[in-house]
Amino acid sequence: MLATNATFQFLVQDSLLQTELALAETAEGVIAGVSIADLSKSSAEQLSAPELVVQSPRSAVRSAAPLRSWQRRYARWLLCSDVVAATAVVAAAQGLRFGAITGDSLAHYSDIDYAFVSTVILAAWIAALSIHRTRSPQVLGHGLEEYRRVWTATLSVFATIAMISALANLDIARGYLALALPLGLIALTTNRMLARRYIEARRRSGQFTNSVLAVGHLSSVRALTESLARHPEEGYRVVGVCVPGGDGVQIPSVNGIPTLPHHGDITEAVLAADADTVALTSGHLQPEEIRDLSWQLERLDVDLVVSPGIVDVAGPRLMVRPVGGQPLIHVDKPQYEGAKRFQKRAFDVCFSVLVLVAAAPVMLAAALAIKLTSRGPVFYLSERIGLDGQPFAMIKFRSMVIDADQRLHEIAAQNDGNGVLFKMRRDPRVTPVGRFLRRYSIDELPQFINVLRRDMSVVGPRPPLPTEVDRYDHQVSRRMLVPPGITGLWQVSGRSDLSWEDSVRLDLSYVENWSMVSDLVIVASTLKAVVLGSGAY
């Protein structure tokens, strides 16, 4: 109900803004060759081919308010929803701990006025969310940074309250704070997750996006446009391309995106494309030229982002260090040893034991169903290649007939997989019980025994077959720097529906950037993929 009301409020604000923009158009007319009505329309209906109006930067008058009005509306909506969530949490904690939220009913607990304490906590909480810039446009809908800031703000408030309580000898009930903290983290995180789902849905339909002008050499901008097109939920829509020198001659478009002339002044192309973000790829402009461009774009209220040309490297591994007046990007080496490996192993053991104990009745029922409905053993042992290229026997519940391997040549031409792995949506070798086990990934539960034996990990790259490893090049071989996993990025991103290239790209990205936080996120996402049966056949 809360999410529905919040969404309704957001849509009402959107309608009010459209009315305000229509009135503003009557009063102010046309700005920079594009009417305010056209700009407001782009908030709700992105233009597939932006109107190209080339103007001199000195004479152009640009108003960025209609272009990014959705960001301000979204931030206001987040503020309102955060206030509602925090208020509900404080009231719930007070009510659950003391049974009522009135000052009179709390008098017999202590001399502290908990109604006042709740008000102070609420005010400090909302202030901390603003101080930590949890609603900054740079983090909204992008990665884990938005959640990290929310968690940091929340933890800082409650840590400060605990310190003040101890130093001032205030007898604030520990149960009250112990309820408010976890409830607050859950409520605010859920609120941001629902908000992100909404904005991602709007972005996939072409709305709530940043209009990007990609600048750089032909190969670089082509790779950038392809990468951004694969992830529309990130909110970047390339509307124009600038290719310097001879690279841009006789090239009307790059990946269907028009190339724009700039005559040595990129701001001309910015105005022509009506872009609010310029993305520079590596190796195009000199450092002084980038600095001058940033100054010019600042006057136009246009963001500047620089792509260093590094792929599959997560944010925590990147650090910008100013050296000699130039920003250098330091790329940390992937960490596979020490504390991180210990954390991963401890998580693997605890999680596997928990799953095996909880799923014991399901596994027993699956074993009986397999034994009673088809000839052959209950388990199927498949040779796979693990850490550092060592082979091991991966344990699964048998889901096929006993002679499935010998019958593979009969149906090899009907491969529905990605060309390297054989997969068939209606494989005749799969038994009726096996089809059900595969549908809900029950056949993979015995693999947690492999985890306890150190053959596998809970999260990791997909365990490859020996025939696959024989075809690996030196890049793909990096998948074996960490143990293979029961689940992984490939599992939550489509499983058997993925192409071979996408499967390799996701596995390499995991190997290069693995962390406990990413493992927890993947485990949580796996439950959804298993319930929906995405890519399972």
Side-chain angles (χ1 to χ4, degrees):
M1 183 64 71
L2 176 60
T4 303
N5 293 337
T7 303
F8 176 77
Q9 179 184 4
F10 187 90
L11 296 175
V12 170
Q13 291 177 350
D14 195 325
S15 301
L16 291 176
L17 179 72
Q18 304 304 320
T19 304
E20 294 172 1
L21 292 174
L23 294 175
E25 181 186 9
T26 304
E28 300 180 14
V30 176
I31 294 180
V34 183
S35 70
I36 296 180
D38 292 333
L39 292 173
S40 64
K41 182 180 180 181
S42 68
S43 174
E45 182 179 323
Q46 295 290 339
L47 302 178
S48 58
E51 181 181 356
L52 302 183
V53 183
V54 180
Q55 300 185 16
S56 171
R58 294 184 180 88
S59 61
V61 179
R62 181 186 180 94
S63 173
L67 288 173
R68 305 188 189 184
S69 58
W70 71 266
Q71 291 181 344
R72 293 193 300 276
R73 295 197 312 273
Y74 183 64
R76 289 197 300 267
W77 177 81
L78 278 181
L79 173 60
C80 295
S81 58
D82 285 344
V83 171
V84 171
T87 303
V89 165
V90 171
Q94 187 169 321
L96 290 173
R97 175 62 180 85
F98 302 109
I101 60 174
T102 61
D104 294 339
S105 63
L106 303 176
H108 63 281
Y109 284 97
S110 70
D111 295 332
I112 296 177
D113 184 352
Y114 278 93
F116 175 76
V117 171
S118 297
T119 303
V120 171
I121 291 177
L122 179 61
W125 202 348
I126 299 303
L129 291 172
S130 297
I131 292 172
H132 286 270
R133 302 185 66 204
T134 62
R135 294 179 289 274
S136 171
Q138 283 72 32
V139 302
L140 293 180
H142 297 287
L144 294 175
E145 179 62 17
E146 180 181 1
Y147 298 122
R148 188 192 68 80
R149 293 189 183 187
V150 170
W151 299 336
T152 301
T154 301
L155 293 174
S156 65
V157 168
F158 282 88
T160 302
I161 292 172
M163 291 176 59
I164 293 175
S165 176
L167 293 175
N169 199 25
L170 297 176
D171 188 20
I172 298 179
R174 289 187 295 272
Y176 170 72
L177 298 178
L179 285 170
L181 176 57
L183 288 176
L185 290 174
I186 293 172
L188 290 179
T189 301
T190 303
N191 179 53
R192 295 305 176 102
M193 290 177 62
L194 293 175
R196 182 171 290 194
R197 295 295 180 271
Y198 174 75
I199 197 172
E200 286 179 354
R202 297 291 293 267
R203 282 173 170 173
R204 289 191 182 95
S205 64
Q207 305 169 29
F208 287 9
T209 59
N210 294 97
S211 301
V212 178
L213 175 70
V215 180
H217 294 297
L218 182 59
S219 58
S220 298
V221 297
R222 178 177 288 119
L224 178 64
T225 55
E226 290 174 352
S227 178
L228 296 181
R230 282 197 300 266
H231 302 281
E233 70 279 359
E234 297 291 342
Y236 289 100
R237 182 175 61 97
V238 181
V239 296
V241 171
C242 274
V243 181
D247 287 350
V249 177
Q250 305 298 328
I251 301 177
S253 65
V254 175
N255 294 333
I257 301 169
T259 57
L260 305 175
H262 56 85
H263 307 296
D265 190 349
I266 294 178
T267 55
E268 292 183 357
V270 172
L271 294 170
D274 201 16
D276 58 38
T277 303
V278 171
L280 287 180
T281 59
S282 57
H284 172 43
L285 298 180
Q286 297 299 320
E288 295 80 6
E289 294 176 316
I290 297 177
R291 179 198 60 193
D292 295 340
L293 176 62
S294 68
W295 291 347
Q296 297 172 24
L297 297 179
E298 182 181 354
R299 291 196 296 269
L300 297 176
D301 193 26
V302 173
D303 292 335
L304 175 64
V305 296
V306 180
S307 171
I310 304 173
V311 297
D312 293 328
V313 178
R317 288 182 56 201
L318 299 177
M319 179 181 297
V320 179
R321 294 177 177 174
V323 178
Q326 297 210 20
L328 301 183
I329 299 178
H330 179 80
V331 182
D332 285 336
K333 299 179 181 64
Q335 300 295 322
Y336 307 120
E337 302 295 339
K340 293 186 68 174
R341 182 175 288 271
F342 174 78
Q343 292 173 0
K344 189 173 181 65
R345 181 57 186 166
F347 172 76
D348 285 345
V349 171
C350 295
F351 190 82
S352 297
V353 170
L354 179 63
V355 170
L356 289 173
V357 171
V362 176
M363 296 176 66
L364 179 60
L368 290 174
I370 294 170
K371 197 65 178 177
L372 294 175
T373 57
S374 63
R375 291 188 305 109
V378 171
F379 297 106
Y380 172 74
L381 303 182
S382 174
E383 185 181 6
R384 300 298 175 104
I385 304 300
L387 181 67
D388 297 328
Q390 297 299 315
F392 70 95
M394 188 177 71
I395 309 171
K396 300 179 67 175
F397 279 126
R398 183 174 59 83
S399 59
M400 291 186 174
V401 295
I402 191 172
D403 59 343
D405 292 337
Q406 290 72 31
R407 294 173 53 184
L408 177 60
H409 67 280
E410 302 175 4
I411 55 176
Q414 305 178 49
N415 187 8
D416 292 326
N418 51 34
V420 178
L421 296 176
F422 179 83
K423 289 287 184 178
M424 189 173 176
R425 294 184 183 275
R426 302 297 298 178
D427 194 327
R429 300 173 300 164
V430 179
T431 65
V433 170
R435 186 164 291 110
F436 177 84
L437 298 180
R438 288 187 170 201
R439 171 67 175 78
Y440 295 102
S441 299
I442 298 175
D443 62 321
E444 299 179 3
L445 287 176
Q447 292 176 28
F448 285 101
I449 300 175
N450 286 115
V451 175
L452 295 178
R453 294 169 53 180
R454 291 181 175 268
D455 296 329
M456 299 177 65
S457 178
V458 173
V459 182
R462 184 185 53 77
L465 294 165
T467 53
E468 294 177 59
V469 177
D470 292 339
R471 302 171 59 179
Y472 282 180
D473 57 23
H474 71 282
Q475 293 180 337
V476 184
S477 296
R478 288 184 65 85
R479 298 169 70 183
M480 293 181 289
L481 290 177
V482 298
I486 297 176
T487 185
L489 282 176
W490 53 275
Q491 176 88 324
V492 300
S493 302
R495 301 166 78 177
S496 301
D497 293 333
L498 292 172
S499 66
W500 168 250
E501 292 76 12
D502 286 339
S503 176
V504 170
R505 178 177 57 84
L506 289 172
D507 281 343
L508 290 179
S509 177
Y510 174 81
V511 172
E512 293 296 308
N513 304 293
W514 73 282
S515 66
M516 282 308 306
V517 173
S518 64
D519 279 7
L520 294 175
V521 172
I522 291 172
V523 168
S525 301
T526 299
L527 179 60
K528 176 182 177 181
V530 169
V531 171
L532 297 178
S534 304
Y537 50 87

